[in-house]
Amino acid sequence: MDKKENRRENECEEKNSNSEGSEQDKDYKTTLITLNVGGYLYITQKQTLTKYPDSFLEGIINGRIMCPCDADGHYFIDRDGLLFRHILNFLRNGELLLPEGFRENQLLAQEAEFFQLKVLSDAVKSRWEKEQLASRETTFLEITDSHDRSQGLRIFCNAPDFIAKIKSRIVLVSKSRLDGFPEEFSVSSNIIQFKYFIKSENGTRLVLKEDNTFVCTLETLKFEAIMTALKCGFRLLTSLDCSKGSIVHSDALHFIK
């Protein structure tokens, strides 16, 4: 047991020493390194980890910074293992590329600062500021009848991602109601335009036209919008047009969290 432990300690010491001039270091740029970051293992090349001089990872690889090793002799870094994926991708790509809907900007900025990657830290903070600015801007979705502009609905919210979600939900519901008749409506950036809206009594979900095709009623789409908003934690702030007396008959809905 003692011999095994000594061997691990020696391996760790060798990794932390900057042994220049050896034959093995001639293949420096293609040598693989395994990092244990918060319990997650990452395998990459030395040239990736040393891409930014004076960074924390470059310091470890070149022996400027001492780093403990785990039981298997891998460098162990006590940081967020899941977020390190984005740190490593930045080192590989040279730019900040995050998945759609990423919401951990503040945590990632802290990780970038720990790893002494100022370029990444600045990029994350810039992205964060843009998202906060966008979240303060009211966005909307317009649902219209191409033959009668007076028949329609506007949905307002200060959360762009929610507008996108409610739009996809309404499109999904519309397709299910109009199965086999996709020409009945078209979709653009902030507008869903129906070929026909047909008025119906409250509670009616579908309207049967003379040619036996189905069309969603405007009331159905309002109902879907309100239900989606409530499920996502939003509340109906007010009906922007209260002259008609009822939310169901209003021309606009305004949601806020």
Side-chain angles (χ1 to χ4, degrees):
M1 181 65 73
D2 290 340
K3 291 182 178 180
K4 189 175 182 180
E5 291 296 329
N6 289 335
R7 186 172 70 252
R8 287 174 180 167
E9 289 179 2
N10 290 335
E11 289 175 354
C12 194
E13 289 176 359
E14 288 175 3
K15 286 185 177 182
N16 281 307
S17 64
N18 187 13
S19 55
E20 299 179 353
S22 67
E23 289 296 324
Q24 293 179 351
D25 283 344
K26 290 182 179 180
D27 199 22
Y28 173 83
K29 290 187 176 182
T30 58
T31 301
L32 297 180
I33 299 293
T34 300
L35 299 176
N36 181 341
V37 184
Y40 290 81
L41 296 181
Y42 291 89
I43 301 176
T44 187
Q45 296 180 346
K46 279 187 176 181
Q47 63 176 351
T48 300
L49 299 177
T50 58
K51 186 172 183 178
Y52 289 87
D54 300 324
S55 69
F56 181 81
L57 293 170
E58 183 273 335
I60 290 176
I61 299 305
N62 287 333
R64 293 189 297 101
I65 298 175
M66 297 298 292
C67 181
C69 294
D70 63 13
D72 295 316
H74 306 313
Y75 292 118
F76 176 75
I77 304 174
D78 191 15
R79 301 299 297 183
D80 192 317
L82 286 174
L83 282 180
F84 187 73
R85 163 197 173 195
H86 306 301
I87 301 290
L88 193 55
N89 280 335
F90 174 77
L91 294 175
R92 289 166 173 161
N93 301 315
E95 61 179 320
L96 179 63
L97 300 172
L98 296 173
E100 184 177 351
F102 183 79
R103 288 292 179 269
E104 297 184 297
N105 293 294
Q106 188 173 4
L107 287 174
L108 184 56
Q110 290 179 347
E111 294 301 296
E113 290 177 1
F114 172 83
F115 286 102
Q116 299 170 21
L117 294 166
K118 188 177 184 304
V119 177
L120 175 57
S121 178
D122 291 344
V124 175
K125 290 177 181 177
S126 176
R127 179 182 188 274
W128 188 13
E129 290 172 357
K130 289 179 181 178
E131 285 187 353
Q132 288 182 319
L133 181 61
S135 68
R136 291 193 291 268
E137 297 176 353
T138 299
T139 56
F140 71 93
L141 173 65
E142 184 176 359
I143 305 171
T144 66
D145 183 321
S146 60
H147 289 76
D148 183 0
R149 296 286 292 182
S150 66
Q151 290 291 308
L153 171 69
R154 274 198 170 195
I155 300 172
F156 294 85
C157 185
N158 64 345
D161 55 341
F162 171 71
I163 290 294
K165 183 170 184 173
I166 212 166
K167 173 183 173 182
S168 64
R169 174 61 184 164
I170 289 176
V171 168
L172 180 64
V173 170
S174 302
K175 285 183 177 179
S176 69
R177 302 292 193 267
L178 304 172
D179 187 26
F181 303 96
E183 73 281 357
E184 294 289 353
F185 72 100
S186 61
V187 182
S188 59
S189 58
N190 283 82
I191 298 176
I192 301 176
Q193 188 171 73
F194 283 79
K195 188 174 181 181
Y196 294 103
F197 274 140
I198 298 184
K199 295 181 180 180
S200 68
E201 295 180 1
N202 292 344
T204 303
R205 286 304 193 91
L206 301 174
V207 174
L208 185 63
K209 297 193 328 185
E210 291 181 359
D211 58 358
N212 292 326
T213 63
F214 288 106
V215 174
C216 282
T217 68
L218 188 57
E219 288 78 9
T220 297
L221 301 182
K222 290 178 183 178
F223 174 80
E224 292 292 343
I226 293 172
M227 291 303 297
T228 301
L230 295 178
K231 287 178 181 178
C232 292
F234 288 84
R235 61 189 175 90
L236 182 62
L237 182 64
T238 182
S239 166
L240 298 185
D241 180 4
C242 298
S243 60
K244 298 187 179 180
S246 170
I247 290 175
V248 176
H249 297 98
S250 65
D251 295 329
L253 302 173
H254 193 168
F255 298 105
I256 195 169
K257 206 159 200 174

